[in-house]
Amino acid sequence: MMSQDREFTGKVALVTGAGSGIGKAAALLLARKGARLAALGRTEDELQETVDQIRREGGEAISLLADIASADEMQQAYGEIRKQWGGLDIVFANAGVNGVWAPIEELEPDEWDKTININLRGTFLTVKYAIPMLKENGGSIIITASVNGTRIFSNTGATAYSTTKAGQLAFTKMAALELAKHRIRVNVVCPGAIETQIEDSTEKRDLESAKEPVEFPEGKIPLTDGKPGTSEQVAELVAFLASEKASHITGTPIWIDGAESLLMG
């Protein structure tokens, strides 16, 4: 099932959170378009499934078991990529958690820290340790943020999560300017409601008491009459941003949410 459009032939791509959801969809699509794929994550069996599927379809892939919030583990992962393929062209910094959603006064400091560590420190480390290889030939970095913290602020309790997503947007813009001279582009995708398993990583506590009353019309996603988007739709956007078609786009957020955030913001 390899794509006719092999625009990433000869390229090496790293996808974090590649075991499920948006990460898996992007890993499969980039591989179908010819990229050699390093699938990174914390869940070994899921990662292996992604790698096995790519190989079954005739692609090349390796799995890297690592915690994006660990500097040592991320350095080792990039060492593996260099050893295996000698370089790197595309980084999709996608891994993250929703974490605990609770009113600020009830959110425990260690719960705050965990979300910040994985989502923000993890993004920083993923990008930081990729730069030496990306500098060699230029490349593309794509970061997964969210409509939360960038356009939507009415999801009560999502303070830590939204803060990390706003931080990723600022980080993208800073990195885009700093890395432009090395021909490294940095962009950020902001998905709305997408059918993935990230809800599994969310713990919500006592949110009703803190909620502001907001009335929405029927169907919170205007473009689809309330139906969430798919991981594959986000993967197509990631592939576009990684490609030469987006060669003049950097430092740019793209919301992919069927106008949900315009209604809810």
Side-chain angles (χ1 to χ4, degrees), residues 101-178:
W101 289 23
I104 294 167
E105 62 196 304
E106 292 181 25
L107 190 63
E108 297 297 336
D110 64 326
E111 293 167 342
W112 168 273
D113 289 346
K114 185 180 177 188
T115 302
I116 301 288
N117 261 336
I118 295 171
N119 292 1
L120 214 41
R121 175 184 162 91
T123 297
F124 161 66
L125 295 177
T126 301
V127 172
K128 173 183 169 65
Y129 294 120
I131 291 170
M133 277 193 286
L134 292 174
K135 272 183 176 177
E136 290 167 15
N137 298 299
S140 176
I141 298 168
I142 302 105
I143 293 168
T144 301
S146 171
V147 290
N148 289 295
T150 60
R151 272 187 178 172
I152 292 178
F153 300 91
S154 51
N155 278 326
T156 302
T159 311
Y161 179 76
S162 295
T163 298
T164 63
K165 298 294 143 179
Q168 285 175 315
L169 185 49
F171 178 81
T172 295
K173 293 177 182 184
M174 296 294 292
L177 195 54
E178 182 178 323

Side-chain angles (χ1 to χ4, degrees), residues 146-216:
S146 171
V147 290
N148 289 295
T150 60
R151 272 187 178 172
I152 292 178
F153 300 91
S154 51
N155 278 326
T156 302
T159 311
Y161 179 76
S162 295
T163 298
T164 63
K165 298 294 143 179
Q168 285 175 315
L169 185 49
F171 178 81
T172 295
K173 293 177 182 184
M174 296 294 292
L177 195 54
E178 182 178 323
L179 299 174
K181 61 181 174 287
H182 303 293
R183 291 176 301 114
I184 300 169
R185 298 181 298 103
V186 192
N187 293 293
V188 59
V189 295
C190 303
I194 303 290
E195 288 171 341
T196 73
Q197 271 67 59
I198 194 168
E199 284 297 317
D200 298 352
S201 70
T202 315
E203 181 191 326
K204 298 185 178 182
R205 288 201 310 260
D206 299 329
L207 296 184
E208 287 313 308
S209 58
K211 252 198 187 349
E212 286 296 321
V214 185
E215 290 301 320
F216 298 118

Side-chain angles (χ1 to χ4, degrees), residues 243-259:
S243 76
E244 281 304 305
K245 298 185 193 92
S247 60
H248 205 53
I249 301 174
T250 193
T252 300
I254 300 183
W255 285 271
I256 176 164
D257 70 344

